[in-house]
Amino acid sequence: MSSQIKVRAPGSVMLMGEHAVVKGHWAIACAVDKYIEVVLTPRADRIIKIDSVLAQYSASLDDLKTDKNLTFVLKVIELQLANLLTGFELKITAQFSHTLGLGSSAAVTVATVKALVQYTQQVLSKQQHLQLSLSVVHAVQGRGSGTDLAASIYGGIIAYQIAPGCVENLPLIPQLSLHYAGYKTTTATVLALVAKKEQQAPALHHAIYELMNSITVASIAAIKNQQWVLLGELMNMYQGQLDSLGVNDAALSDIVYQLRSEAGIEAGILGAKISGSGLGDCVISLGCQFDLDNYQQIKFNTSSEGMVFHEC
């Protein structure tokens, strides 16, 4: 194979199902119109080179080096070593910062997996692509649901359940926006903290996850029926469960309650909650664009198109 392979994968945001999804419950996620592109150029030798805003990398397939800035990309390569006969160059570009809660790790994983699968002339279904990408995430951080991976692969608004890998496309939601707290805690760190707390009160946490699932299932129905006021109320309810898990903090709470203030409600905000694992990162709101002092608003549209690729 001598042609370049170009893969583009959208970022994503979590609408509902945080934390409960890793327990096998339903989640809802949205692909966004901000993308990561991976361009693979074949080489005749065994050298790989990676050009990214996060790092410049060069090594042999026979002696891969670690780089904490390229963990997911290098894990994809490592898991494909048996299929790689020759090296390649990867050019990675992003339309959004990895510091924002837009699923950059998932998008670059999805795109890199697809590039290498095409390079090694393998054929994968979307479901197989999802499972292969999820194996990368699990190898890197030990746990993870794959919801953001599924959103990047399938596009649009999706309902997702980790086992048996159910993905259902849902109708598009009229207006979503994000507000960034200005910092984030890694998903792996937050999940580890929640797991530690769960050990102290497993029965109560089980009940919280069950309630989270009920709220998410009701939200799926609300989206299908285009009941946006109800969806906003359900988002507010889910936020309460996230608070119970201990993943809310002062800044996230400030954002949520500014959005739910009288001014926010008059402007058209229907609901607001943490998007993602919590302890920083973003709050997602439904209903309108609403500027807040001290917090960056991330404006986006839903991307109906998931991961795409072509050779040139």
Side-chain angles (χ1 to χ4, degrees):
M1 181 181 296
S2 58
S3 58
Q4 278 190 331
I5 299 166
K6 294 186 178 183
V7 186
R8 190 181 76 163
S12 62
V13 294
M14 193 81 152
L15 181 62
M16 203 80 74
E18 292 90 345
H19 294 283
V21 68
V22 298
K23 302 296 183 179
H25 297 305
W26 282 98
I28 306 170
C30 170
V32 303
D33 61 343
K34 299 178 187 297
Y35 304 90
I36 287 180
E37 184 180 72
V38 172
V39 178
L40 184 151
T41 303
R43 292 178 64 98
D45 54 22
R46 297 277 291 173
I47 299 299
I48 62 169
K49 292 181 179 291
I50 302 173
D51 177 11
S52 165
V53 69
L54 297 181
Q56 301 295 310
Y57 180 93
S58 180
S60 168
L61 286 171
D62 303 308
D63 185 25
L64 289 179
K65 301 179 296 185
T66 60
D67 188 316
K68 62 185 176 79
N69 295 310
L70 298 169
T71 308
F72 290 92
V73 173
L74 292 175
K75 184 58 67 173
V76 174
I77 296 170
E78 180 184 330
L79 295 181
Q80 288 292 315
L81 277 177
N83 301 314
L84 290 166
L85 300 179
T86 56
F88 51 86
E89 297 177 8
L90 291 181
K91 172 71 173 176
I92 303 171
T93 55
Q95 294 180 351
F96 58 95
S97 170
H98 69 285
T99 62
L100 300 178
L102 293 176
S104 58
S105 296
V108 77
T109 298
V110 162
T112 306
V113 166
K114 183 62 177 180
L116 292 192
V117 162
Q118 289 301 122
Y119 185 45
T120 54
Q121 298 182 307
Q122 301 173 68
V123 178
L124 293 183
S125 66
K126 285 185 177 181
Q127 185 57 235
Q128 290 170 326
H129 187 182
L130 174 57
Q131 294 305 316
L132 185 54
S133 299
L134 185 55
S135 70
V136 173
V137 171
H138 285 171
V140 170
Q141 60 186 34
R143 50 171 68 91
S145 69
T147 312
D148 47 4
L149 299 168
S152 285
I153 292 170
Y154 286 82
I157 309 279
I158 61 160
Y160 172 77
Q161 194 172 35
I162 191 171
C166 294
V167 180
E168 180 182 356
N169 283 104
L170 300 174
L172 298 184
I173 297 172
Q175 181 66 70
L176 295 169
S177 61
L178 289 174
H179 288 85
Y180 180 52
Y183 60 92
K184 64 185 291 187
T185 304
T186 65
T187 299
T189 299
V190 179
L191 291 178
L193 290 171
V194 172
K196 185 176 181 180
K197 289 186 177 183
E198 184 179 349
Q199 292 175 357
Q200 299 169 359
L204 289 175
H205 278 76
H206 177 77
I208 292 170
Y209 295 133
E210 290 288 339
L211 182 53
M212 284 176 153
N213 186 58
S214 296
I215 296 170
T216 302
V217 170
S219 299
I220 293 170
I223 294 171
K224 289 180 177 179
N225 294 320
Q226 300 186 11
Q227 296 173 301
W228 308 127
V229 173
L230 175 58
L231 178 61
E233 293 173 352
L234 292 166
M235 290 171 66
N236 292 343
M237 291 174 64
Y238 202 97
Q239 172 66 16
Q241 311 317 309
L242 292 170
D243 212 343
S244 295
L245 291 185
V247 300
N248 196 14
D249 62 19
L252 294 173
S253 186
D254 185 31
I255 296 171
V256 166
Y257 284 102
Q258 283 196 58
L259 289 166
R260 293 190 203 168
S261 68
E262 183 177 345
I265 293 171
E266 288 179 354
I269 296 291
L270 300 176
K273 60 176 283 295
I274 293 167
S275 176
S277 55
L279 296 180
D281 213 346
C282 290
V283 167
I284 190 167
S285 62
L286 171 67
C288 72
Q289 301 285 354
F290 189 70
D291 291 321
L292 300 180
D293 293 336
N294 304 321
Y295 300 107
Q296 177 188 356
Q297 182 175 177
I298 306 170
K299 297 180 180 179
F300 68 90
N301 294 308
T302 301
S303 173
S304 58
E305 186 176 67
M307 183 276 307
V308 295
F309 80 96
H310 66 275
E311 299 177 18
C312 57

